[in-house]
Amino acid sequence: MMTTILIALAAGSASALMFASIISGALFSLVLFYLAPLPLMVAGLGWGPLTATIGGISAAIGLGAIFGLPYCIAFVLTVALPAWWLGHLALLGRPVAMAPSAGNGAAPPAPVLEWYPVGRILLWTAGFAALTTMAALFTLGGDAATITAALRRGLLRITGARAGSGDTQQVVDALVTIAPAAAAVVAMMTLTLNLWLAAKITATSGRLHRPWPDMKSAALPAMTLVALSLALALCFTGGLFAMLGQIASAALMMAYALIGFAVLHTLTLAMKSRALWLSGTYAVVLVFGWPAVAMVGLGLADAVFGFRQRYLQRRTPPAPVS
């Protein structure tokens, strides 16, 4: 128990320091800020959700004592809660079958476990990304006009531009329009990256208490399409609801983009130059960004038409006739 507490305190301290580094204003502190959930996720996946809970509570108390209650609440909502819950879901499993017994008096074998689906974990990640982005916007104001004005002032302060310039005003207005959705995309990608890195670290160290999942088979629940449709409909209502709809739509679309990559990994299984195609696709998406729209379309098309299932059925040889 003492080891667990020490690991929890170490993970919480590291996470709190990474989160608080944003105060320095240095460019590298932004990287540390986005990686703040990583120590708690490693603790949760390697030593259990209780370790992440203790680490998160200790970090939140420390930040609250030093920087005040707003920092404490922000850390809990954006770092501690997602790290604890996603780590808990990743280790969630249920027995689906018992292994055959040897029948010689030996200890019964461990049951076969069904682990929480990767697609559902991805959906939870999108939900956390949307909620944390919405919470951040509500710190700027309670209505769309106030939030937009605060975003505009912040962008003008960052760029050092003047509000009177016509060209500058158009650029700032465009950035303000896409800022909520862009923030949701960044939150979604960083949370997903943190969870993947934490799983890789714990798997490499031998502390991951579940087998590595088959990422190619990841699929979002069917009702995700309904949620995305409702979010897109909200985008056309105007005002605050449109802003919230943009955030939810962006987070869910990024989830479908990741599913699109899983589809691509499946559909290229038979290709001799598979590694070249995959690495080229990742490079183009990382460099230009906008080709991720194609991945969103591929993920949505697979959800509707089942490309992966049809492809794998064609590759599976028919069962021999007895």
Side-chain angles (χ1 to χ4, degrees):
M1 186 62 183
M2 184 58 66
T3 303
T4 299
I5 294 176
L6 290 175
I7 292 172
L9 293 177
S13 300
S15 186
L17 288 172
M18 295 166 74
F19 180 82
S21 67
I22 195 67
I23 299 175
S24 68
L27 184 60
F28 185 69
S29 67
L30 192 62
V31 178
L32 296 176
F33 175 79
Y34 281 123
L35 290 176
L38 182 59
L40 291 177
M41 285 183 176
V42 171
L45 291 175
W47 287 268
L50 179 60
T51 308
T53 303
I54 297 173
I57 292 174
S58 65
I61 293 174
L63 287 171
I66 298 173
F67 300 105
L69 185 60
Y71 277 88
C72 173
I73 296 174
F75 177 82
V76 170
L77 291 178
T78 61
V79 176
L81 183 60
W84 165 73
W85 185 244
L86 294 176
H88 165 71
L89 292 179
L91 298 179
L92 199 61
R94 62 182 180 182
V96 293
M98 294 295 294
S101 176
N104 55 1
V112 178
L113 295 178
E114 178 186 23
W115 298 97
Y116 198 78
V118 174
R120 292 183 180 272
I121 296 176
L122 191 60
L123 183 59
W124 274 103
T125 306
F128 276 120
L131 289 176
T132 54
T133 305
M134 292 176 188
L137 285 186
F138 280 124
T139 62
L140 303 177
D143 58 85
T146 306
I147 293 172
T148 300
L151 288 174
R152 182 177 289 107
R153 288 194 301 270
L155 286 172
L156 288 173
R157 191 182 306 115
I158 291 172
T159 58
R162 296 182 179 179
S165 174
D167 294 338
T168 301
Q169 191 69 26
Q170 291 179 357
V171 173
V172 169
D173 287 342
L175 292 176
V176 167
T177 301
I178 66 173
V185 169
V186 172
M188 174 66 185
M189 296 309 299
T190 53
L191 267 180
T192 305
L193 177 63
N194 276 305
L195 185 59
W196 183 83
L197 285 175
K200 278 294 183 182
I201 291 170
T202 50
T204 303
S205 63
R207 297 289 309 184
L208 186 61
H209 302 296
R210 63 164 291 172
W212 191 261
D214 181 15
M215 299 296 186
K216 297 190 302 297
S217 63
L220 293 170
M223 290 301 293
T224 309
L225 278 175
V226 178
L228 178 58
S229 300
L230 293 175
L232 289 173
L234 279 178
C235 295
F236 298 95
T237 58
L240 182 61
F241 285 108
M243 196 173 289
L244 299 180
Q246 292 169 11
I247 293 171
S249 299
L252 290 175
M253 283 186 178
M254 286 311 301
Y256 274 110
L258 295 174
I259 295 299
F261 281 108
V263 176
L264 188 64
H265 276 262
T266 301
L267 299 183
T268 56
L269 284 174
M271 297 178 62
K272 294 182 179 180
S273 56
R274 180 172 183 260
L276 180 62
W277 277 100
L278 292 176
S279 58
T281 303
Y282 279 105
V284 168
V285 171
L286 288 175
V287 172
F288 298 102
W290 63 263
V293 176
M295 293 296 102
V296 175
L298 187 57
L300 289 170
D302 179 72
V304 176
F305 301 107
F307 289 150
R308 280 180 294 180
Q309 184 177 1
R310 296 182 182 183
Y311 176 79
L312 293 175
Q313 285 177 349
R314 288 199 302 267
R315 283 176 54 89
T316 303
V321 179
S322 59

